[in-house]
């Protein structure tokens, strides 16, 4: 297995940051990964990389960066209602979603165009437009980097939450996800609960609802407000949408009648962090090449040569101002390296 020295990561992260990895290699199957893990250069410190669309490198990575390139999409089972599709962790996420749509398999259409690879999809239970992967996730196989064994995780074992799973918590950096199996529906259950989808479908003149139409509506909405990493470096939402309790919510609503908030099943309220950040005056802010996206304040951007540290420091200032104005502490969603 070829292990390269001092590799520039600029083209391997959607923020376009110029950090380097002390060592870098790719693997295309479990055996190659196992062989890499035998190498002393990989044993001390290593990180599994997918599409690099949810990481912020604040410094050079002083270890081995192992890029997962396990490919393959396969229908592995079927029953009356569902078809089970298994995809290699290194498959592009949107490519996988489009494969399902082309085969008339429903459930992932609302998650169209999310950047990154299949292997990272369970890491933070990716979600968009009223759907999260936990709604269709069946199981995954992961390689334990220390024990060198393959472990299966079903839906319950992943303990999915909002932008959360066991892989971000107790099993952080312990596993390489090898493949993920999704359970897709033969009969679609359309989810257009996210208001913007209905409006876009109407704008598109769609008469007969289909998973293809929903996918296209989601793609249209996303491209209208999220920056394309090929043009402006970013990692999507930099922060999570925070939850507050009823007392806090009512106090905020009293002071700010336009507050954007959604009731949660547990009685708390989720606040739109983008709205909070915009109210603090950050929308469109730019300092050098680090900035806050002009159409979506939840997205921090690199206009070219910003350092990871500059973006991190900007995120700290955003956190402090939101805390001061609303007494709400924003949590970063992006993985800080
Ligand atoms: P990476 O950035 O490569 O890795 C992310 C983390 O997962 C790292 O900690 C890495 O070590 C780990 N990891 C990656 N692959 C594996 C593996 N095979 N095994 C073990 N660990 C692994 N996210 C959403 O949820 N919803 C959105 O709507 C959304 N929109 C976005 C829009 C834009 C423009 C961008 C740039 C990002 C957006 N994101 C969104 C964030 C991002 O697309 C997702 O988090 C995606 O799943 C990251 O995939 P990746 O392969 O790029 O992961
Ligand atoms: N808003 C503002 N100002 C802004 C941004 C947003 O007022 O600058 C308001 C909007 O007007 C809207 C509300 O906030 O009323 C919600 O905005 P939007 O629909 O854009 O969604 P979001 O809550 O900002 C979340 C996810 C996105 C996901 C979209 C669509 C998180 C952290 N982010 O963003 O995920 O694509 O919903 O479902 O939950 C990501 O994780 O990287 C990501 C992009």
């Amino acid at each position: 297995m070829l292990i390269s020295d001092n590799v520039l990561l600029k083209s391997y992260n959607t923020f376009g940051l110029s950090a380097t990895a002390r060592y870098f290699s790719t693997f295309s199957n479990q055996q190659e990964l196992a062989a890499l893990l035998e190498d002393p250069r990989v044993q001390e410190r290593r990180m599994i990389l997918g599409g690099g669309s949810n990481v912020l490198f604040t410094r050079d990575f002083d270890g081995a960066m192992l890029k997962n390139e396990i490919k393959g999409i396969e229908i592995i089972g079927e029953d009356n209602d569902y078809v089970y599709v298994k995809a290699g962790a290194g498959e592009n996420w949107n490519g996988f979603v489009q494969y399902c749509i082309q085969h008339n398999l429903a459930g992932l259409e609302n998650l169209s165009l999310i950047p990154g690879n299949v292997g990272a999809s369970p890491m933070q239970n990716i979600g968009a437009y009223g759907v999260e992967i936990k709604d269709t996730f069946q199981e995954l196989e992961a390689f334990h980097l220390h024990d060198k064994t393959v472990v299966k995780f079903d839906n319950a074992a992943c303990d999915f939450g909002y932008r959360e799973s066991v892989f971000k918590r107790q099993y952080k950096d312990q596993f390489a996800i090898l493949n993920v199996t999704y359970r897709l529906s033969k009969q679609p259950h359309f989810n257009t609960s996210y208001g913007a989808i209905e409006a876009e479908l109407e704008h598109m003149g769609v008469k007969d609802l289909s998973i293809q139409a929903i996918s296209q509506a989601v793609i249209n909405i996303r491209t209208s407000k999220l920056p394309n990493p090929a043009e402006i470096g970013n990692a999507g939402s930099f922060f999570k949408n925070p939850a507050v309790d009823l007392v806090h919510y009512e106090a905020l609503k009293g002071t700010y009648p336009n507050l954007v908030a959604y009731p949660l099943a547990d009685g708390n309220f989720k606040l739109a962090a983008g709205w909070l950040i915009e109210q603090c005056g950050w929308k469109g802010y730019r300092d050098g090449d680090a900035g806050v996206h002009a159409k979506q304040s939840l997205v921090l951007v690199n206009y070219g040569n910003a350092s990871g540290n500059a973006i991190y420091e900007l995120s700290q200032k955003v956190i402090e101002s939101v805390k001061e104005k609303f007494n709400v502490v924003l949590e970063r969603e992006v993985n800080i390296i």
Side-chain angles (χ1 to χ4, degrees):
M1 218 71 51
L2 179 69
I3 300 179
S4 307
D5 279 349
N6 297 320
V7 171
L8 184 64
L9 297 171
K10 196 174 171 69
S11 60
Y12 295 109
N13 73 98
T14 61
F15 255 124
L17 298 166
S18 292
T20 56
R22 179 72 189 87
Y23 304 110
F24 183 92
S25 190
T26 61
F27 59 95
S28 307
N29 55 50
Q30 182 190 319
Q31 292 69 30
E32 288 184 6
L33 172 61
L36 279 170
L37 293 169
E38 296 299 320
D39 191 297
R41 290 169 290 179
V42 174
Q43 277 163 0
E44 202 163 305
R45 190 162 178 230
R46 63 254 168 149
M47 175 182 158
I48 307 295
L49 188 68
S53 64
N54 208 22
V55 287
L56 180 83
F57 293 110
T58 56
R59 56 175 76 93
D60 291 335
F61 184 70
D62 189 22
M65 185 71 65
L66 307 178
K67 186 165 164 19
N68 190 325
E69 293 190 342
I70 300 176
K71 301 283 192 215
I73 301 180
E74 194 188 351
I75 292 178
I76 58 162
E78 180 172 355
D79 54 32
N80 283 347
D81 299 323
Y82 301 110
V83 172
Y84 299 82
V85 189
K86 180 175 172 177
E91 286 288 342
N92 173 266
W93 172 258
N94 187 51
F96 172 60
V97 171
Q98 297 308 323
Y99 171 97
C100 295
I101 292 170
Q102 277 153 20
H103 287 75
N104 270 319
L105 299 173
L108 295 178
E109 53 281 0
N110 293 52
L111 303 176
S112 298
L113 211 62
I114 295 180
N117 293 349
V118 167
S121 59
M123 295 293 300
Q124 65 159 9
N125 176 27
I126 56 170
Y129 300 97
V131 172
E132 292 179 324
I133 62 104
K134 73 171 170 52
D135 307 330
T136 46
F137 174 93
Q138 181 68 15
E139 67 169 21
L140 64 77
E141 287 184 309
F143 194 73
H144 195 287
L145 299 176
H146 185 73
D147 299 349
K148 320 257 171 70
T149 52
V150 176
V151 183
K152 281 191 184 198
F153 289 78
D154 64 12
N155 200 310
C158 293
D159 195 17
F160 290 123
Y162 165 61
R163 297 294 192 273
E164 279 294 343
S165 77
V166 286
F167 302 103
K168 274 185 92 173
R169 299 189 298 256
Q170 64 264 43
Y171 297 142
K172 190 171 163 48
D173 295 330
Q174 289 187 37
F175 286 96
I177 294 170
L178 301 171
N179 57 67
V180 189
T181 300
Y182 281 95
R183 190 199 64 194
L184 285 314
S185 299
K186 292 180 176 177
Q187 291 301 323
H189 305 281
F190 301 123
N191 188 334
T192 56
S193 59
Y194 213 90
I197 297 188
E198 297 258 336
E200 180 59 26
L201 288 166
E202 201 173 312
H203 177 74
M204 288 161 60
V206 170
K207 301 271 181 307
D208 297 319
L209 200 52
S210 64
I211 55 175
Q212 287 78 5
I214 291 181
S215 172
Q216 192 55 53
V218 166
I219 289 171
N220 294 350
I221 300 166
R222 294 183 69 94
T223 41
S224 75
K225 61 175 160 187
L226 288 168
N228 177 354
E231 289 157 15
I232 304 176
N234 76 96
S237 300
F238 199 89
F239 307 96
K240 294 183 185 181
N241 284 326
V244 295
D245 63 22
L246 178 64
V247 175
H248 196 164
Y249 163 75
E250 284 180 339
L252 286 174
K253 191 78 183 165
T255 315
Y256 306 98
N258 295 332
L259 181 77
V260 182
Y262 321 90
L264 293 170
D266 62 6
N268 291 330
F269 288 80
K270 187 172 276 191
L271 307 180
W275 186 89
L276 300 174
I277 297 168
E278 181 176 348
Q279 296 305 305
C280 291
W282 290 106
K283 198 170 193 171
Y285 173 89
R286 181 171 177 172
D287 179 10
D289 274 354
V292 177
H293 188 48
K295 294 183 191 162
Q296 230 298 4
S297 314
L298 203 44
V299 179
L300 301 192
V301 292
N302 172 15
Y303 286 105
N305 292 312
S307 67
N309 260 326
I311 291 176
Y312 187 84
E313 278 165 22
L314 172 58
S315 75
Q316 195 57 37
K317 289 183 192 156
V318 169
I319 290 173
E320 281 160 18
S321 68
V322 169
K323 168 83 172 78
E324 195 178 316
K325 192 171 172 80
F326 299 106
N327 195 25
V328 170
V329 179
L330 294 182
E331 193 187 330
R332 294 180 183 87
E333 191 239 68
V334 170
N335 298 281
I336 311 295
I337 312 294

